[in-house]
Amino acid sequence: MRTAKACNTFLGLTILVVASPAFAVDATSRIDAVTVYPSGAAITRIASVALPGGTTKVRLTGLVNNLDPNRIRVETGSGDVTIGQVRFARQQQREAFNADIERLNAEIREVESRIGAIDDAVKSAELRLKFLDGLTQGYAKEAWAGGARGTADVGSWREALSLLQTASADAYAEIRNQKAARTEAERDLSVLQRELAELSGGSMATSVVELSLRAPRALTTELRLHYFQNNARWMPQYEARLDSDTAELTLIQQAMVYQRTDEAWQDVSLSLSTSDPSGALEPGTLSSEFLDLRDPMPQAPQRAAMNKLQMANSDSVEEVAVTGARGVPAQIGNYAVTYTVPGRVSVANNADDAQALDLDSFDFDVGLVTRIMPRRSEQAYLAARFDYDRNVPLLGSTLRVYVDGAYAGMTTMPTVLPNAEITLPMGDDRRVEVNRVDRGAARGQQGLISRRNTETTDYLFEITNRRRSDTVVEVLDLYPVSRNEDITVDVPRSATTPTVTDVDDEPGVILWRKTLSPGEEWRIEHTYTVTWPTGKVLSRR
């Protein structure tokens, strides 16, 4: 494909492993730009080439070995230059490879020698301390004997003790300094040994792209080589900072970039894309489904009874349908966002290194909600609820939460589409008091002709707002849902009526919501009775 600005071509090429003929121009390239995806990275290398008029063969050398010829594209920066034949070759680098290994081995031997010298210095200092200890014991004996005879030379003893103290202090300082030096040397040795292990397991070859360029006159043009690498990825992470007094939330979006390719990215223009080129590009195909009838297989009575029992105890199609379908939007992959990191950055190709980058920051006025599941726990939990009014979707990932400057913990950030309502958990809410009173589950029977079992659940939930401002409180619980017409669930009129039923399309899940003023107490009566025929076992799932 040719345009007025550039000429480019894709490689669908035969891989060569034989030596190539001499070329007029060998060009050295450098990585200029990288676009990282959730799986993989697109690399752009640039090289400046001076061309005479006519046709010139150019070879781009020193490329990584694992390039895929089908995922390479070359373009020129001048519309006057056309690209002819392009070939892809691999060049053996055994000599250079062995030289790098020998260099690392020499550096490792030097550091090991340094560690040995440090150990010798520590042993020497320890011997001096042992010698000084012997002298100290000798002076102590002499002092005791002289004192007993009345011939002790106090002045000489003090001078000797001063010398012993100075010498021992020097020895202890020497040991401390040498141990600190050994720690640093061990760190250097670990780095060198890791580099050696990575190089020893690496490739002994590099890739070469050979191309023929035609120029109408002598000129200098820029070659751009684009290719894809698999061993790289980025993932978002978020940080939420809530001021509970002003109900203001700052949501910080960050990116973690990892790469384990065969080349480091030094001083590059870095972009991050939410598009995933490793995913499927179409939904696939469907095959025909044919229906037919056949006679049923004969069954023994015992087998039939067992099958009936299994059907009664398993989830049927109708039972699954009752719960409803939930999940994140299926088309979220259609939204692709590219973030361009300001300036130029470097990312090492090391498993121990990751690059953290700030992408964006959003400020929201939020509504604070305290959520409680009192039957499960008497702990209240704070949440921040707001409408996400930005036009850029957010990918789900981890979320670090800070409330009033204190770290509250880590949770999950959901995938968020524009104009969606978000509820983010903010951790414990110690300013809302919860008291659960279990007034007892009662079992019994009713009916004269058709006897039925009964089971009554009776709770009292007491919620008190200890804040100095109004607080929205949501209390969650449930009513059991009958899947059999012989089972009934009755709620008395004395029970507190829920604000919402079938919360989040979950049958039976209920929610009470109320705004409590400072110091206000809220009493919720949660009572219901389940009845079923005698002679039957009530099953809960």
Side-chain angles (χ1 to χ4, degrees):
M1 177 179 176
R2 295 182 177 87
T3 66
K5 293 184 178 179
C7 175
N8 63 76
T9 184
F10 287 88
L11 302 183
L13 310 166
T14 302
I15 300 176
L16 307 176
V17 295
V18 298
S20 301
F23 283 80
V25 177
D26 277 358
T28 301
S29 62
R30 64 175 178 85
I31 299 178
D32 178 65
V34 177
T35 299
V36 187
Y37 300 93
S39 178
I43 315 295
T44 297
R45 280 181 170 268
I46 61 172
S48 180
V49 182
L51 300 175
T55 300
T56 305
K57 290 185 177 181
V58 177
R59 185 170 70 171
L60 299 176
T61 61
L63 307 177
V64 292
N65 177 57
N66 61 347
L67 295 186
D68 182 358
N70 296 313
R71 305 180 81 173
I72 294 177
R73 180 167 59 92
V74 183
E75 62 180 354
T76 65
S78 172
D80 295 334
V81 178
T82 58
I83 300 176
Q85 183 185 27
V86 181
R87 296 193 301 173
F88 179 83
R90 288 197 175 95
Q91 184 179 60
Q92 296 299 315
Q93 297 290 313
R94 190 174 301 276
E95 292 182 1
F97 182 78
N98 290 339
D100 288 338
I101 289 181
E102 182 56 34
R103 173 184 58 80
L104 287 173
N105 280 326
E107 293 181 13
I108 288 173
R109 287 193 295 270
E110 189 277 331
V111 175
E112 289 175 340
S113 177
R114 180 157 38 113
I115 291 176
I118 291 172
D119 292 340
D120 291 342
V122 170
K123 290 179 181 178
S124 176
E126 289 173 344
L127 285 174
R128 293 202 304 272
L129 285 174
K130 188 174 182 180
F131 175 73
L132 292 172
D133 183 62
L135 290 179
T136 301
Q137 293 179 7
Y139 272 111
K141 291 180 181 180
E142 183 179 346
W144 182 83
R149 295 193 301 268
T151 59
D153 186 354
V154 178
S156 63
W157 292 347
R158 288 177 176 174
E159 183 178 357
L161 290 175
S162 178
L163 291 173
L164 290 172
Q165 182 179 5
T166 301
S168 62
D170 291 342
Y172 280 118
E174 175 73 9
I175 292 173
R176 286 194 302 271
N177 293 336
Q178 293 297 340
K179 286 186 176 180
R182 195 183 201 285
T183 299
E184 183 177 352
E186 287 174 344
R187 188 181 303 114
D188 294 341
L189 181 62
S190 176
V191 171
L192 292 171
Q193 288 174 337
R194 186 172 57 196
E195 291 180 6
L196 179 62
E198 292 175 354
L199 186 58
S200 299
S203 172
M204 296 186 182
T206 60
S207 298
V208 178
V209 173
E210 305 165 348
L211 59 156
S212 177
L213 301 178
R214 179 183 294 275
R217 63 187 180 281
L219 54 82
T220 298
T221 187
E222 184 181 81
L223 294 179
R224 303 183 73 84
L225 177 68
H226 308 280
Y227 55 92
F228 195 83
Q229 293 282 66
N230 290 318
N231 295 330
R233 65 186 177 94
W234 82 277
M235 60 182 296
Q237 65 177 19
Y238 301 89
E239 186 174 293
R241 292 187 172 271
L242 174 67
D243 186 331
S244 64
D245 291 329
T246 62
E248 294 178 349
L249 178 76
T250 298
L251 184 63
I252 301 171
Q253 184 184 25
Q254 296 178 319
M256 295 297 294
V257 181
Y258 307 85
Q259 73 111 338
R260 289 287 292 129
T261 67
D262 290 340
E263 54 192 358
W265 303 338
Q266 298 292 336
D267 193 34
V268 301
S269 175
L270 185 66
S271 299
L272 310 175
S273 175
T274 60
S275 175
D276 191 355
S278 66
L281 299 182
E282 59 181 350
T285 59
L286 289 175
S287 299
S288 301
E289 181 181 17
F290 301 97
L291 299 179
D292 202 350
L293 294 175
R294 61 177 178 81
D295 293 330
M297 296 291 293
Q299 282 188 324
Q302 297 86 350
R303 181 66 178 174
M306 183 178 296
N307 287 344
K308 181 179 289 188
L309 180 61
Q310 289 175 346
M311 291 177 64
N313 292 330
S314 64
D315 289 333
S316 66
V317 174
E318 289 77 12
E319 291 172 335
V320 173
V322 171
T323 65
R326 300 176 303 279
V328 298
Q331 298 300 317
I332 188 65
N334 289 343
Y335 294 86
V337 181
T338 299
Y339 302 95
T340 300
V341 179
R344 301 183 73 86
V345 300
S346 298
V347 182
N349 55 332
N350 193 306
D352 297 334
D353 293 336
Q355 183 79 42
L357 305 167
D358 288 338
L359 297 182
D360 211 338
S361 178
F362 313 98
D363 294 320
F364 300 98
D365 293 327
V366 300
L368 297 182
V369 180
T370 298
R371 278 202 157 192
I372 308 165
M373 293 185 185
R375 202 168 354 168
R376 178 178 295 179
S377 169
E378 292 183 328
Q379 177 64 54
Y381 295 91
L382 185 65
R385 183 173 294 162
F386 59 97
D387 291 328
Y388 179 68
D389 55 1
R390 307 307 196 268
N391 58 3
V392 177
L394 302 177
L395 297 181
S397 187
T398 57
L399 173 69
R400 296 190 302 272
V401 176
Y402 294 82
V403 178
D404 299 331
Y407 179 58
M410 183 173 288
T411 184
T412 300
M413 175 75 180
T415 295
V416 181
L417 297 180
N419 303 317
E421 183 183 76
I422 309 176
T423 300
L424 297 181
M426 294 286 115
D428 294 350
D429 188 351
R430 296 180 176 85
R431 289 178 286 184
V432 173
E433 182 179 310
V434 182
N435 183 36
R436 177 190 65 228
V437 180
D438 185 353
R439 296 188 290 202
R443 285 179 174 268
Q445 290 185 341
Q446 65 181 17
L448 296 176
I449 299 175
S450 177
R451 303 289 291 174
R452 294 175 63 84
N453 295 322
T454 65
E455 181 183 82
T456 299
T457 299
D458 189 5
Y459 282 98
L460 172 65
F461 304 141
E462 298 174 324
I463 318 297
T464 306
N465 178 21
R466 301 299 184 188
R467 292 179 181 272
R468 292 175 293 180
S469 59
D470 291 350
T471 298
V472 177
V473 177
E474 294 182 346
V475 179
L476 287 154
D477 209 286
L478 55 81
Y479 294 131
V481 178
S482 171
R483 289 181 174 175
N484 188 302
E485 61 182 8
D486 289 332
I487 301 174
T488 60
V489 179
D490 298 310
V491 179
R493 292 183 178 180
S494 60
T496 305
T497 303
T499 309
V500 182
T501 58
D502 295 345
V503 177
D504 295 332
D505 295 328
E506 286 280 5
V509 177
I510 56 177
L511 179 147
W512 297 274
R513 181 186 294 117
K514 187 177 182 180
T515 300
L516 302 183
S517 58
E520 182 180 356
E521 182 183 83
W522 183 21
R523 293 168 60 90
I524 298 174
E525 303 271 353
H526 184 38
T527 306
Y528 57 87
T529 299
V530 180
T531 64
W532 70 98
T534 58
K536 299 290 185 181
V537 176
L538 189 64
S539 174
R540 289 182 170 86
R541 289 192 295 273

